[in-house]
Amino acid sequence: MDQMGIHYNIWIVLLSFALAATAAYSALNLISQVSHSTGKIRRLWLLSGACVLGSGIWAMHFVGIMASRLPFEVGYHPGRAVLSLLISILSSFLALGIAVASRQRLLRLLASGFILGGGISAMHYVGMSSMEMDGRLHYEPMAQGISMMIALLASYIAVFLFRKFKDYTGFSAWKLCSSLFIGFAVTGMHYISLSTSRFELNSWLGAKPFLMETDFILLTGVSLVTLFMLAISGGAVFLDRHVLEKMAYHDPLTELPNRHGLERYFLDEFFGVNSGAVFFVDLDRFKSINDTLGHDIGDELLQEVADRLMCCVGCQGKVFRMGGDEFLIALPDCTLENAQDMAEHVLREVKKSYSIKGNELYVTASVGISLAPVHGTDRSALMKAADTALYTSKDSGKNKFSVFDQEMNRHQLRRMSLEKDLRKALARSEFMVVYQPKWDSFMNVTVGLEALLRWRHPEHGIISPAEFIPIAEETGLIVPITYWMLHDVCGQNMLWHRAEVANVPVSINMSARMFEGGGLYDVVEEALTRSGLEPHFLELEITESIAMNNMEETVAQLSKLRNLGVRVSLDDFGTGFSSLGNLDEIPVNTLKIDQVFIRKSKMHSKKAIISNIIAIASNLNMEVVAEGVETTEQIELLQSLGCRVMQGFYYGRPMPVHELGQWFIENTA
């Protein structure tokens, strides 16, 4: 039996170390993308990094064997060689999967380093067992233990450094150090293990060692694995830069940059100049087009709007889609005058007609503008200011632009504060009900009351309904508030009946949201039952927009309430967009003439409209109530036209309960 040592080609040793370190750095580059991804994309990055690292470790092992000068020829068992490759990839996958976890605790890092170092060691010994030769390989236990400890320690250091750069996709010195430690773990373990091992041969093959004739299959396998490793790295970079980047930073419908692209643009380009403008562009009535004609036509409309916005902006700036029907335009190096000109240009282009699948569509836009650095020096402040200006454009009639100012900001802050307090107002009993009389001018008696909501804010005093009702409508808080009001009004009316103070119906304004879900009948019935009030002493006031929205469902709910005995009136008649052809189908007892006609009743045209409304109501057997009556001239005109029931400051302002009792006593016929 002969024992032979092993000699090395130093250049191939250095090549093997460079191969392992390069593979590690490429893998860590891929793994850095994991924290920026989710779902399947996250697993794809993790698997790619594991394949590159595992393949690099495996290729280094067999390149290291080729660096060895052996005095005999060696063959390889293909099954075990492939098994060693799979072990290397699997251990890399497990170790990297633990290392990229969001919570990097010490125990996790130890486990990750142990799995990676253990995988390197397991791959080494399985790879060595794949060698087929005329002899046996003997390991020194102590030396092998040292080699494995080197692999474990170097792997742990590499993983420990990983937390320094795991979210950074560019070059990092920490990333380079980590890859060098992985390369040291692989090569250190491999060469220490081999240098302390002995080969036993059955016969003497010659005194002069010669360079091993590398097995063709091994060389082919190492070459293919290296190419595989490079292909994954190159493919991942291509995927990141051309596919995933587009998916992450661009809107798939309009191909405009999205919110992520906006963040990158502001970070890299927008603030490179002294001034700039940000536009929030929101389409008016887009939802109605989307709901009426379908999402396909809505999507095509958004695409055409995006094209028009890009034509408007050109090379001056950039257009982004923020989501839904909302776009953002960023114009660096833009003055106030230029921003106003651009906004007018955008409004003109957007409102031009669109021809989509045989439909001629019209849509307008509202625009909010903020300027840098006047309104902010960072993306968040500028977007907030532009958004506030957009709300002003919406509230002031739409199809216009507004430039942010501090008054808008104060208004928006007050609105946000009121919305927050409104959510607590009902629980804190801050609401109160006031009542305004309806007066029969022929009989000089009270024939009804209208219940009106008021909010006693603990800091701001009485808040106008014109200010808090729209907030309640938008947030849906109007529903529980109306529930409370129904119970309160029905209970109060019953108290008046028992005290024989008044015996008249009381009307309550209904929100469109009360008709959603079909539960209005049950709510009204419960309020009547609890109070004991007879149904004909309750009247529900609806607007024309409520009556015409989802008309069949609304009519069905109102018909049930009419059958119960509850009265229904149509408020603000003449100011909405209802069709007179459908008026007779709506179960209504009373038409209320809006006060805008009463105030201008001296105008011949307004007088004609009032006369026609009274005639329509008479022909449909409906009662008429004129709102906003303040002068004797208005009373005489209305009486001459046939209207007898009136409501307004002339007869009485909205009064709380304690004042209304005295008013009843003073005005009893």
Side-chain angles (χ1 to χ4, degrees):
M1 298 283 287
D2 295 322
Q3 295 182 349
M4 303 298 298
I6 305 174
H7 304 277
Y8 300 97
N9 184 321
I10 188 62
W11 297 110
I12 301 183
V13 170
L14 294 175
L15 174 64
S16 65
F17 175 79
L19 178 63
T22 302
Y25 190 86
S26 299
L28 295 178
N29 257 338
L30 299 176
I31 294 300
S32 298
Q33 300 282 357
V34 171
S35 59
H36 303 286
S37 310
T38 57
K40 294 181 179 179
I41 300 299
R42 179 185 177 91
R43 290 192 292 273
L44 179 62
W45 283 118
L46 182 58
L47 181 60
S48 300
C51 287
V52 170
L53 180 58
S55 301
I57 292 172
W58 183 88
M60 174 271 138
H61 171 81
F62 285 98
V63 169
I65 292 178
M66 286 190 284
S68 308
R69 286 180 172 271
L70 301 174
F72 48 82
E73 292 187 2
V74 179
Y76 296 89
H77 188 280
R80 292 178 185 174
V82 173
L83 177 61
S84 65
L85 174 62
L86 296 177
I87 290 173
S88 181
I89 293 175
L90 179 61
S91 61
S92 299
F93 181 81
L94 295 175
L96 294 175
I98 296 173
V100 297
S102 56
R103 295 183 178 179
Q104 291 190 318
R105 297 175 179 171
L106 181 62
L107 189 60
R108 284 180 175 270
L109 296 176
L110 284 171
S112 178
F114 178 81
I115 292 173
L116 182 59
I120 292 172
S121 301
M123 181 280 304
H124 171 79
Y125 290 112
V126 173
M128 293 300 295
S129 70
S130 69
M131 297 172 62
E132 295 180 343
M133 55 191 173
D134 189 15
R136 288 184 299 175
L137 183 63
H138 290 275
Y139 297 108
E140 292 292 338
M142 182 66 70
Q144 300 306 314
I146 293 173
S147 68
M148 286 189 286
M149 286 301 297
I150 289 174
L152 292 170
L153 181 60
S155 297
Y156 172 72
I157 294 174
V159 170
F160 184 80
L161 293 176
F162 186 67
R163 64 179 183 172
K164 299 280 189 181
F165 60 85
K166 78 180 187 73
D167 297 329
Y168 185 64
T169 56
F171 172 80
S172 167
W174 292 111
K175 188 185 298 185
L176 179 61
C177 290
S178 181
S179 60
L180 291 176
F181 271 104
I182 292 176
F184 180 70
V186 180
T187 53
M189 194 277 162
H190 177 85
Y191 290 114
I192 290 176
S193 174
L194 276 185
S195 64
T196 57
S197 303
R198 293 179 297 107
F199 286 94
E200 290 188 358
L201 305 178
N202 294 327
S203 60
W204 183 257
L205 297 178
K208 184 179 180 181
F210 61 92
L211 185 64
M212 178 184 71
E213 291 292 336
T214 305
D215 185 87
F216 176 75
I217 296 177
L218 173 64
L219 182 60
T220 303
V222 171
S223 301
L224 290 176
V225 168
T226 304
L227 288 174
F228 171 69
M229 178 180 69
L230 295 174
I232 290 180
S233 300
V237 171
F238 177 83
L239 186 69
D240 177 44
R241 293 185 178 177
H242 295 85
V243 180
L244 297 180
E245 181 177 352
K246 187 172 183 178
M247 291 171 60
Y249 293 101
H250 286 77
D251 171 56
L253 177 64
T254 61
E255 296 187 356
L256 293 175
N258 58 14
R259 288 179 178 271
H260 300 299
L262 174 69
E263 292 177 10
R264 187 167 64 173
Y265 174 77
F266 270 78
L267 187 65
D268 297 340
E269 300 181 44
F270 185 80
F271 290 110
V273 293
N274 295 327
S275 63
V278 171
F279 301 68
F280 255 127
V281 181
D282 188 85
L283 301 184
D284 306 323
R285 295 182 54 253
F286 174 75
K287 186 177 185 300
S288 62
I289 294 175
N290 218 20
D291 294 343
T292 304
L293 300 178
H295 291 278
D296 290 341
I297 290 181
D299 288 346
E300 290 194 30
L301 177 60
L302 289 174
Q303 290 171 338
E304 291 204 20
V305 170
D307 291 340
R308 293 189 185 185
L309 292 178
M310 285 191 290
C311 289
C312 290
V313 174
C315 60
Q316 299 177 51
K318 208 154 190 176
V319 183
F320 305 84
R321 185 189 178 201
M322 305 305 291
D325 60 342
E326 193 170 65
F327 299 85
L328 184 141
I329 299 173
L331 292 183
D333 196 17
C334 179
T335 63
L336 174 60
E337 292 75 16
N338 293 337
Q340 291 173 331
D341 292 341
M342 176 60 72
E344 290 176 353
H345 184 35
V346 166
L347 293 176
R348 284 196 305 269
E349 291 299 315
V350 170
K351 72 178 181 181
K352 291 179 180 178
S353 65
Y354 300 81
S355 180
I356 300 175
K357 293 184 177 178
N359 298 287
E360 187 175 0
L361 304 179
Y362 292 88
V363 68
T364 58
S366 298
V367 180
I369 305 172
S370 64
L371 300 170
V374 180
H375 302 140
T377 55
D378 59 71
R379 177 186 59 83
S380 178
L382 289 171
M383 289 178 64
K384 179 183 175 183
D387 199 28
T388 300
L390 173 65
Y391 273 105
T392 302
S393 298
K394 288 280 190 184
D395 292 342
S396 58
K398 303 177 181 179
N399 190 30
K400 58 182 62 178
F401 71 87
S402 302
V403 181
F404 175 80
D405 59 36
Q406 289 304 319
E407 182 59 34
M408 290 181 189
N409 192 41
R410 284 190 289 270
H411 174 75
Q412 188 69 9
L413 289 174
R414 176 176 169 86
R415 190 184 188 283
M416 292 173 62
S417 175
L418 290 180
E419 180 181 336
K420 179 189 62 151
D421 295 340
L422 191 63
R423 297 180 182 276
K424 306 171 186 175
L426 194 58
R428 295 176 177 176
S429 301
E430 294 174 4
F431 291 114
M432 62 178 288
V433 179
V434 296
Y435 297 87
Q436 186 173 29
K438 298 176 184 177
W439 191 263
D440 188 323
S441 62
F442 289 167
M443 301 292 294
N444 280 326
V445 294
T446 304
V447 293
L449 297 168
E450 181 178 1
L452 301 166
L453 187 66
R454 296 292 184 266
W455 180 15
R456 295 172 297 189
H457 194 281
E459 297 178 12
H460 305 300
I462 300 296
I463 305 295
S464 168
E467 188 173 12
F468 77 84
I469 291 295
I471 300 174
E473 291 271 6
E474 184 178 331
T475 59
L477 294 170
I478 193 67
V479 174
I481 292 173
T482 306
Y483 286 175
W484 169 83
M485 193 174 177
L486 274 167
H487 285 273
D488 187 81
V489 168
C490 290
Q492 182 59 53
N493 201 3
M494 194 62 195
L495 289 176
W496 284 328
H497 287 189
R498 288 171 181 166
E500 297 183 353
V501 173
N503 196 32
V504 296
V506 180
S507 61
I508 302 176
N509 291 284
M510 289 289 107
S511 163
R513 285 185 174 268
M514 295 299 297
F515 290 85
E516 297 174 358
L520 180 59
Y521 178 87
D522 296 331
V523 174
V524 171
E525 186 181 39
E526 181 186 3
L528 292 171
T529 302
R530 284 192 178 184
S531 63
L533 185 70
E534 294 182 28
H536 64 274
F537 286 113
L538 176 64
E539 184 174 67
L540 305 183
E541 291 193 9
I542 64 171
T543 61
E544 293 182 60
S545 59
I546 295 175
M548 302 310 298
N549 182 34
N550 195 5
M551 185 172 174
E552 291 185 5
E553 176 62 25
T554 303
V555 168
Q557 293 190 59
L558 292 176
S559 297
K560 286 183 66 178
L561 290 166
R562 281 284 303 275
N563 293 334
L564 182 65
V566 175
R567 297 172 57 83
V568 179
S569 64
L570 193 59
D571 197 11
D572 302 334
F573 186 76
T575 61
F577 302 96
S578 61
S579 169
L580 292 177
N582 295 325
L583 182 60
D584 61 325
E585 300 176 20
I586 306 172
V588 171
N589 300 91
T590 305
L591 293 183
K592 298 189 73 175
I593 304 174
D594 190 78
Q595 57 186 332
V596 69
F597 300 112
I598 307 302
R599 288 192 189 126
K600 300 179 181 180
S601 56
K602 291 183 178 180
M603 296 173 58
H604 178 72
S605 58
K606 303 300 181 187
K607 188 186 301 184
I609 292 174
I610 294 171
S611 177
N612 283 321
I613 292 174
I614 295 171
I616 290 170
S618 175
N619 291 328
L620 295 177
N621 295 319
M622 296 178 183
E623 300 174 10
V624 177
V625 176
E627 295 182 298
V629 176
E630 298 180 356
T631 65
T632 55
E633 290 83 359
Q634 293 170 347
I635 295 172
E636 291 172 358
L637 172 65
L638 290 167
Q639 286 178 334
S640 68
L641 294 175
C643 176
R644 59 187 299 167
V645 181
M646 305 177 194
Q647 178 183 348
F649 286 177
Y650 183 88
Y651 294 107
R653 294 175 177 271
M655 294 169 277
V657 172
H658 65 276
E659 292 182 15
L660 191 63
Q662 183 63 31
W663 185 91
F664 275 134
I665 295 172
E666 294 174 355
N667 291 274
T668 299

